Amino acid sequence: MIMFARLRTAATTLLASGLLAGCSSGLATDPAPGLDVNTDVVSSIPKDETIAALLPPEIRQAESVAVGSSVGSPPSAFYLADNRTVVGQDVEITDAVGRVLGIRVDRREAAFEAILPALGSGKFQVGTGNFGVTEERKKTIDFVTYIDDGQGFAVRQDSDLGQVTDITQLCGRAIGTGAGTTFEATLNAHRERCAQIGRPPYEVQVFSEQSAMYSALQQGKVDVLMSTINGLRYATTQQPGLRFLNEFRRLDVGFALPKNSPLAPALQAAVNKLIADGTYQRILHKWGTTASAIPSSQINPTETR
């Protein structure tokens, strides 16, 4: 992705500032939009024996799957105020898929930039972290899509920057983004374009924690942030003085797997089952990301341009 390494402090601050104040103490039957962390839309999902039969024998026998999980920020995956409990859209979609398949999700927290290499070494069987599907990544990684997110920009309220539709509009500015992400790759790939049109280059500052990235924007150390559409939309509603600028590019997001993983068809079928029975839509409604819904899961789709 798209997402970054872990962020405990910022997520805790957001929750402490009022996120939980409006939540009921019990489990609601109809999810409310936004981050209502008490709404349960997963625990009653039954196992689908037909889909479970698609699992590779070793996973079916172990009844569990090792998932390398990057914890970043709302609404994707973040910590509650206890600094231990991980919640979010990616977490619930993964748990829901596990229930359809009748297996336990053995979630193992890892830095965003460490997960994809660890898939190749066999440390994890699946990776989650809002990983965007790109042709470059598909050379070594397989993807099973479950949402459509992408790249966007955020600025301070007093910024004179208009909507960014071309990277050269950022020439001469300082841009904050995350390590190992599609944003960093996009910015690096277009570095020379400013010089080609006689403009000063933009400066890319890479952060491994989103708390530091947002602080840099607030303090004027960077002029603009490039990050996930859903993450920026949420963060700019919670942090005074910031605004979501615009979407730049939509990108399919999926479970990451080792190349030619036999697990892919089972994951795809499970996601499509959740879409068909309405659970998928309820999860996205809960986390306020219904605009990122996909009509069906795909294995290794063509990168969105």
Side-chain angles (χ1 to χ4, degrees), residues 89-108:
Q89 163 200 277
D90 284 6
V91 175
E92 288 204 321
I93 291 176
T94 305
D95 288 347
V97 164
R99 287 187 174 272
V100 171
L101 296 172
I103 56 176
R104 179 176 61 87
V105 175
D106 178 13
R107 185 172 286 105
R108 305 173 186 178

Side-chain angles (χ1 to χ4, degrees), residues 45-218:
I45 298 172
K47 178 181 179 180
D48 186 303
E49 296 291 351
T50 301
I51 296 176
L54 298 174
L55 286 168
E58 63 274 14
I59 293 180
R60 192 162 58 244
Q61 183 176 1
E63 297 183 337
S64 69
V65 60
V67 178
S69 178
S70 170
V71 182
S73 63
S76 179
F78 61 102
Y79 291 97
L80 293 184
D82 62 7
N83 273 353
R84 293 189 304 273
T85 306
V86 182
V87 297
Q89 163 200 277
D90 284 6
V91 175
E92 288 204 321
I93 291 176
T94 305
D95 288 347
V97 164
R99 287 187 174 272
V100 171
L101 296 172
I103 56 176
R104 179 176 61 87
V105 175
D106 178 13
R107 185 172 286 105
R108 305 173 186 178
E109 182 185 331
F112 174 86
E113 59 269 28
I115 291 177
L116 297 187
L119 291 171
S121 70
K123 183 176 181 179
F124 307 127
Q125 293 163 302
V126 180
T128 62
N130 213 354
F131 288 108
V133 180
T134 68
E135 297 304 317
E136 183 63 28
R137 284 176 172 169
K138 281 165 54 180
K139 293 176 182 177
T140 56
I141 299 293
D142 282 345
F143 290 94
V144 176
T145 60
Y146 60 83
I147 201 165
D148 171 53
D149 196 343
Q151 303 177 337
F153 296 100
V155 294
R156 292 183 300 279
Q157 286 286 2
D158 60 0
S159 174
D160 65 347
L161 187 63
Q163 287 201 0
V164 177
T165 57
D166 189 278
I167 288 294
T168 57
Q169 293 170 256
L170 299 174
C171 295
R173 299 181 188 261
I175 310 161
T177 195
T181 62
T182 61
F183 320 116
E184 183 184 15
T186 296
L187 293 168
N188 288 339
H190 293 274
R191 275 185 183 275
E192 305 304 318
R193 292 184 59 201
C194 293
Q196 291 170 0
I197 61 172
R199 299 280 306 280
Y202 51 72
E203 174 193 354
V204 180
Q205 295 187 28
V206 177
F207 299 86
S208 60
E209 291 193 356
Q210 285 197 3
S211 56
M213 187 178 75
Y214 282 104
S215 292
L217 181 62
Q218 292 277 20

Side-chain angles (χ1 to χ4, degrees), residues 258-269:
K259 201 64 184 172
N260 301 316
S261 170
L263 182 56
L267 293 181
Q268 180 190 31

